Amino acid sequence: TAAFKTSLTERLKHLFPRHKVDSMVALLSKPGCKAQLAHTDYTPATLANATDETMPLACLVALENGTAFDVWPEAIRFEKNVSYKHMQVKLNKGDVLVFRGDLVHGGAACGEVENVRIHAYLDVEGVERPKHGDDSLYV
């Protein structure tokens, strides 16, 4: 996994030079699991000073064909008075999806086959990922 992390970090740092890859984890969805609730990985308070250029990012790397991910395109900046249409993105093995930290998203329901993928944050200086009292990340 160290070689994978190094390779991904190198590729992403050229595309997003203000950001640093951090907290890379493997995610496993068991067959038949339900969809994750729609959420953002940050709170409005933690992104109060973030601009489009300094917005933290997240990255999803598909390790298998058919990796599904639920998104609400354009649902950013915590605009609650706007209705957004749900969309499911299907990724194939090797696809990399990078998205804003304030994008409303969620892990999709899993079909009959388990799914493994890699998730990483692309942190930016001056923005802390929120934590709950038990030190778990806000997701």
Side-chain angles (χ1 to χ4, degrees):
T1 59
F4 176 84
K5 183 175 182 178
T6 299
S7 177
L8 183 64
T9 299
E10 284 299 312
R11 288 180 185 227
L12 292 174
K13 83 176 182 182
H14 294 292
L15 295 170
F16 306 101
R18 293 178 188 234
H19 296 77
K20 179 184 173 203
V21 176
D22 192 23
S23 299
M24 190 177 296
V25 297
L27 301 176
L28 168 67
S29 292
K30 297 277 190 174
C33 76
K34 296 190 184 309
Q36 191 178 34
L37 294 176
H39 67 278
T40 65
D41 292 333
Y42 295 82
T43 63
T46 58
L47 294 179
N49 297 321
T51 65
D52 286 341
E53 293 77 29
T54 62
M55 179 63 61
L57 304 170
C59 172
L60 192 67
V61 181
L63 300 181
E64 303 175 46
N65 290 334
T67 298
F69 187 65
D70 292 333
V71 296
W72 286 259
E74 299 181 17
I76 58 174
R77 296 187 180 90
F78 306 102
E79 295 180 28
K80 295 180 181 183
N81 296 329
V82 180
S83 178
Y84 299 98
K85 186 175 180 179
H86 166 260
M87 174 181 167
Q88 190 169 84
V89 177
K90 292 275 187 166
L91 304 171
N92 288 317
K93 184 177 182 177
D95 287 346
V96 177
L97 177 67
V98 177
F99 57 97
R100 291 170 56 110
D102 62 348
L103 175 70
V104 176
H105 66 279
C110 196
E112 296 178 14
V113 179
E114 72 181 21
N115 180 273
V116 179
R117 61 223 174 264
I118 302 295
H119 181 278
Y121 289 101
L122 282 77
D123 292 331
V124 64
E125 189 173 325
V127 178
E128 297 287 324
R129 266 182 274 129
K131 294 187 177 192
H132 290 295
D134 62 358
D135 289 333
S136 62
L137 292 172
Y138 176 81
V139 290

